[in-house]
Amino acid sequence: KRIDANDPVAMCREGVEPYEKGDYSSALGYYVKAAELGDVDAHYRLSHMYRDGVGVEKGKGRKETHHLEEAAIGGHPKAR
């Protein structure tokens, strides 16, 4: 229900389970949508996916940096 209401925190949390099960494509979809809605944890998780090449093409340094910076600007404690 919260996802249908475009709750970015709910979307980010919904991406954790598929990520942990290796369904990176599904996780990526949730994380991208949550990040677009301003969720800093989603930005942080996306930065790691791009850094490690998990579910995305590795070596996309600009995307990794962008998401890490957005997480840091938003106050994510691990991104600072």
Side-chain angles (χ1 to χ4, degrees):
K1 191 171 186 175
R2 288 177 54 197
I3 290 174
D4 293 335
N6 283 331
D7 180 333
V9 174
M11 285 184 195
C12 185
R13 287 184 183 155
E14 192 71 20
V16 173
E17 185 177 340
Y19 182 89
E20 290 176 349
K21 290 181 176 179
D23 182 1
Y24 303 121
S25 177
S26 292
L28 181 67
Y30 285 114
Y31 292 158
V32 166
K33 181 67 174 169
E36 288 172 350
L37 293 170
D39 186 78
V40 295
D41 191 40
H43 279 294
Y44 184 73
R45 291 174 183 275
L46 284 167
S47 75
H48 282 266
M49 289 181 78
Y50 282 106
R51 180 194 69 197
D52 300 335
V54 177
V56 295
E57 186 179 342
K58 189 173 183 173
K60 296 287 185 183
R62 283 183 278 155
K63 286 190 177 187
E64 174 192 346
T65 302
H66 165 75
H67 288 294
L68 190 58
E69 286 176 349
E70 288 295 318
I73 290 167
H76 192 285
K78 292 182 181 177
R80 299 177 129 213

